Short mmCIF file of all heavy atoms in Angstrom, two decimals:
data_model
loop_
_atom_site.label_atom_id
_atom_site.label_comp_id
_atom_site.label_asym_id
_atom_site.label_seq_id
_atom_site.Cartn_x
_atom_site.Cartn_y
_atom_site.Cartn_z
N LEU L 351 107.37 97.25 114.65
CA LEU L 351 106.44 98.14 115.37
C LEU L 351 107.18 99.42 115.74
O LEU L 351 108.29 99.35 116.28
CB LEU L 351 105.95 97.46 116.66
CG LEU L 351 105.21 96.14 116.52
CD1 LEU L 351 104.99 95.50 117.89
CD2 LEU L 351 103.87 96.34 115.81
N ILE L 353 106.22 102.33 117.94
CA ILE L 353 105.13 102.60 118.89
C ILE L 353 104.90 104.09 119.10
O ILE L 353 105.83 104.88 119.09
CB ILE L 353 105.49 101.95 120.25
CG1 ILE L 353 105.80 100.46 120.07
CG2 ILE L 353 104.39 102.14 121.27
CD1 ILE L 353 104.69 99.62 119.53
N LEU L 470 100.78 96.78 123.19
CA LEU L 470 102.17 96.39 122.93
C LEU L 470 102.44 94.99 123.46
O LEU L 470 103.00 94.13 122.75
CB LEU L 470 103.13 97.41 123.57
CG LEU L 470 104.62 97.07 123.53
CD1 LEU L 470 105.11 96.86 122.10
CD2 LEU L 470 105.44 98.18 124.19
N ALA L 471 102.02 94.74 124.71
CA ALA L 471 102.26 93.42 125.31
C ALA L 471 101.62 92.32 124.47
O ALA L 471 102.26 91.31 124.15
CB ALA L 471 101.71 93.41 126.74
N LEU L 474 103.47 91.62 121.09
CA LEU L 474 104.72 90.86 121.16
C LEU L 474 104.41 89.35 121.15
O LEU L 474 105.07 88.58 120.44
CB LEU L 474 105.51 91.26 122.41
CG LEU L 474 105.93 92.74 122.46
CD1 LEU L 474 106.57 93.07 123.80
CD2 LEU L 474 106.89 93.08 121.32
N LEU L 487 111.74 90.19 114.68
CA LEU L 487 110.83 91.12 115.36
C LEU L 487 111.64 92.36 115.77
O LEU L 487 112.64 92.24 116.48
CB LEU L 487 110.24 90.46 116.61
CG LEU L 487 109.42 91.36 117.55
CD1 LEU L 487 108.23 92.00 116.81
CD2 LEU L 487 108.90 90.56 118.74
N VAL L 488 111.22 93.52 115.27
CA VAL L 488 111.95 94.77 115.52
C VAL L 488 110.98 95.78 116.12
O VAL L 488 109.92 96.05 115.54
CB VAL L 488 112.53 95.34 114.20
CG1 VAL L 488 113.31 96.62 114.46
CG2 VAL L 488 113.41 94.30 113.51
N VAL L 489 111.30 96.30 117.30
CA VAL L 489 110.38 97.21 117.99
C VAL L 489 111.10 98.50 118.37
O VAL L 489 112.16 98.46 119.01
CB VAL L 489 109.80 96.56 119.26
CG1 VAL L 489 108.69 97.42 119.85
CG2 VAL L 489 109.29 95.16 118.99
N VAL L 490 110.49 99.63 118.00
CA VAL L 490 111.03 100.95 118.37
C VAL L 490 110.05 101.58 119.35
O VAL L 490 108.85 101.68 119.06
CB VAL L 490 111.20 101.86 117.13
CG1 VAL L 490 111.69 103.25 117.54
CG2 VAL L 490 112.15 101.23 116.12
N THR L 491 110.56 101.99 120.52
CA THR L 491 109.70 102.65 121.51
C THR L 491 110.25 104.04 121.84
O THR L 491 111.41 104.35 121.54
CB THR L 491 109.63 101.83 122.82
OG1 THR L 491 110.94 101.73 123.35
CG2 THR L 491 109.05 100.46 122.60
N SER L 494 109.91 104.99 128.51
CA SER L 494 110.52 103.95 129.35
C SER L 494 109.52 102.84 129.71
O SER L 494 109.89 101.68 129.83
CB SER L 494 111.12 104.57 130.61
OG SER L 494 110.12 105.27 131.30
N LEU L 495 108.23 103.18 129.87
CA LEU L 495 107.25 102.16 130.21
C LEU L 495 107.15 101.12 129.08
O LEU L 495 107.03 99.93 129.32
CB LEU L 495 105.86 102.78 130.42
CG LEU L 495 105.66 103.66 131.65
CD1 LEU L 495 104.32 104.37 131.57
CD2 LEU L 495 105.73 102.84 132.93
N GLU L 496 107.20 101.63 127.84
CA GLU L 496 107.11 100.72 126.69
C GLU L 496 108.40 99.93 126.53
O GLU L 496 108.37 98.72 126.28
CB GLU L 496 106.89 101.52 125.40
CG GLU L 496 105.59 102.29 125.35
CD GLU L 496 105.64 103.42 124.34
OE1 GLU L 496 106.74 103.76 123.84
OE2 GLU L 496 104.59 103.99 124.06
N ASP L 497 109.52 100.62 126.66
CA ASP L 497 110.81 99.93 126.47
C ASP L 497 110.97 98.81 127.49
O ASP L 497 111.49 97.74 127.18
CB ASP L 497 111.98 100.91 126.56
CG ASP L 497 113.30 100.18 126.33
OD1 ASP L 497 113.44 99.50 125.29
OD2 ASP L 497 114.19 100.26 127.21
N ARG L 498 110.49 99.05 128.72
CA ARG L 498 110.57 98.03 129.76
C ARG L 498 109.81 96.77 129.34
O ARG L 498 110.24 95.65 129.58
CB ARG L 498 109.96 98.60 131.06
CG ARG L 498 110.80 98.30 132.28
CD ARG L 498 110.25 99.02 133.48
NE ARG L 498 110.46 100.46 133.47
CZ ARG L 498 109.68 101.34 134.11
NH1 ARG L 498 108.63 100.96 134.79
NH2 ARG L 498 109.96 102.63 134.05
N ILE L 499 108.65 96.96 128.70
CA ILE L 499 107.85 95.81 128.25
C ILE L 499 108.62 95.01 127.20
O ILE L 499 108.71 93.78 127.26
CB ILE L 499 106.49 96.31 127.69
CG1 ILE L 499 105.63 96.83 128.84
CG2 ILE L 499 105.77 95.21 126.92
CD1 ILE L 499 104.32 97.44 128.41
N VAL L 500 109.22 95.71 126.25
CA VAL L 500 109.93 95.03 125.16
C VAL L 500 111.16 94.30 125.72
O VAL L 500 111.44 93.15 125.38
CB VAL L 500 110.34 96.03 124.06
CG1 VAL L 500 111.05 95.32 122.92
CG2 VAL L 500 109.12 96.79 123.55
N LYS L 501 111.86 94.98 126.62
CA LYS L 501 113.05 94.38 127.22
C LYS L 501 112.69 93.11 128.01
O LYS L 501 113.33 92.07 127.87
CB LYS L 501 113.71 95.42 128.14
CG LYS L 501 115.01 94.99 128.71
CD LYS L 501 115.59 96.09 129.56
CE LYS L 501 116.83 95.57 130.27
NZ LYS L 501 117.29 96.47 131.29
N LYS L 502 111.62 93.22 128.82
CA LYS L 502 111.20 92.06 129.62
C LYS L 502 110.79 90.90 128.71
O LYS L 502 111.07 89.75 129.00
CB LYS L 502 110.02 92.42 130.52
CG LYS L 502 110.45 93.15 131.77
CD LYS L 502 109.28 93.31 132.72
CE LYS L 502 109.77 93.99 134.00
NZ LYS L 502 108.71 94.61 134.77
N PHE L 503 110.11 91.22 127.62
CA PHE L 503 109.67 90.17 126.69
C PHE L 503 110.87 89.43 126.12
O PHE L 503 110.93 88.19 126.16
CB PHE L 503 108.83 90.79 125.56
CG PHE L 503 108.39 89.79 124.52
CD1 PHE L 503 107.32 88.95 124.77
CD2 PHE L 503 109.06 89.68 123.31
CE1 PHE L 503 106.91 88.02 123.82
CE2 PHE L 503 108.66 88.75 122.36
CZ PHE L 503 107.59 87.93 122.61
N PHE L 504 111.84 90.16 125.59
CA PHE L 504 112.99 89.50 124.98
C PHE L 504 113.82 88.75 126.03
O PHE L 504 114.36 87.69 125.75
CB PHE L 504 113.85 90.50 124.20
CG PHE L 504 113.30 90.82 122.83
CD1 PHE L 504 113.17 92.13 122.40
CD2 PHE L 504 112.93 89.80 121.95
CE1 PHE L 504 112.67 92.42 121.12
CE2 PHE L 504 112.42 90.08 120.69
CZ PHE L 504 112.28 91.39 120.28
N THR L 505 113.91 89.30 127.23
CA THR L 505 114.66 88.61 128.29
C THR L 505 113.96 87.28 128.61
O THR L 505 114.59 86.22 128.68
CB THR L 505 114.72 89.48 129.56
OG1 THR L 505 115.30 90.72 129.21
CG2 THR L 505 115.54 88.82 130.65
N ASP L 506 112.63 87.35 128.76
CA ASP L 506 111.87 86.15 129.09
C ASP L 506 111.94 85.13 127.96
O ASP L 506 112.18 83.94 128.19
CB ASP L 506 110.41 86.55 129.35
CG ASP L 506 109.59 85.39 129.85
OD1 ASP L 506 109.66 85.12 131.06
OD2 ASP L 506 108.90 84.74 129.03
N SER L 533 121.77 94.71 122.41
CA SER L 533 120.45 94.48 123.01
C SER L 533 119.56 95.71 122.84
O SER L 533 118.35 95.60 122.74
CB SER L 533 120.58 94.08 124.47
OG SER L 533 121.04 95.17 125.21
N LYS L 552 114.23 103.94 121.27
CA LYS L 552 115.05 102.77 121.59
C LYS L 552 114.59 101.61 120.72
O LYS L 552 113.38 101.35 120.61
CB LYS L 552 114.86 102.38 123.06
CG LYS L 552 115.44 103.38 124.04
CD LYS L 552 115.50 102.77 125.44
CE LYS L 552 116.38 103.57 126.36
NZ LYS L 552 115.79 104.84 126.76
N LEU L 553 115.55 100.94 120.10
CA LEU L 553 115.22 99.81 119.22
C LEU L 553 115.71 98.51 119.86
O LEU L 553 116.85 98.44 120.32
CB LEU L 553 115.91 100.02 117.86
CG LEU L 553 115.69 98.99 116.76
CD1 LEU L 553 115.94 99.63 115.39
CD2 LEU L 553 116.55 97.75 116.89
N ARG L 554 114.84 97.52 119.90
CA ARG L 554 115.24 96.18 120.33
C ARG L 554 114.74 95.18 119.29
O ARG L 554 113.66 95.38 118.71
CB ARG L 554 114.64 95.82 121.70
CG ARG L 554 115.17 96.69 122.82
CD ARG L 554 114.64 96.26 124.18
NE ARG L 554 114.97 97.26 125.17
CZ ARG L 554 116.09 97.25 125.91
NH1 ARG L 554 116.96 96.28 125.76
NH2 ARG L 554 116.32 98.20 126.78
N ALA L 555 115.52 94.12 119.06
CA ALA L 555 115.15 93.18 117.99
C ALA L 555 115.52 91.75 118.38
O ALA L 555 116.46 91.53 119.14
CB ALA L 555 115.88 93.56 116.70
N PHE L 571 105.22 91.03 132.50
CA PHE L 571 105.45 92.46 132.33
C PHE L 571 105.24 93.26 133.62
O PHE L 571 105.62 94.43 133.69
CB PHE L 571 104.53 93.04 131.25
CG PHE L 571 104.73 92.39 129.92
CD1 PHE L 571 103.70 91.73 129.29
CD2 PHE L 571 105.96 92.45 129.29
CE1 PHE L 571 103.88 91.12 128.06
CE2 PHE L 571 106.16 91.85 128.06
CZ PHE L 571 105.12 91.19 127.45
#
Side-chain angles (χ1 to χ4, degrees):
L351 300 171
I353 305 299
L470 173 58
L474 299 174
L487 172 59
V488 181
V489 189
V490 177
T491 61
S494 57
L495 291 171
E496 296 159 348
D497 181 55
R498 224 173 288 154
I499 290 175
V500 181
K501 186 178 173 191
K502 280 188 177 160
F503 177 79
F504 280 131
T505 303
D506 186 82
S533 69
K552 291 193 166 73
L553 181 156
R554 294 184 191 269
F571 300 120

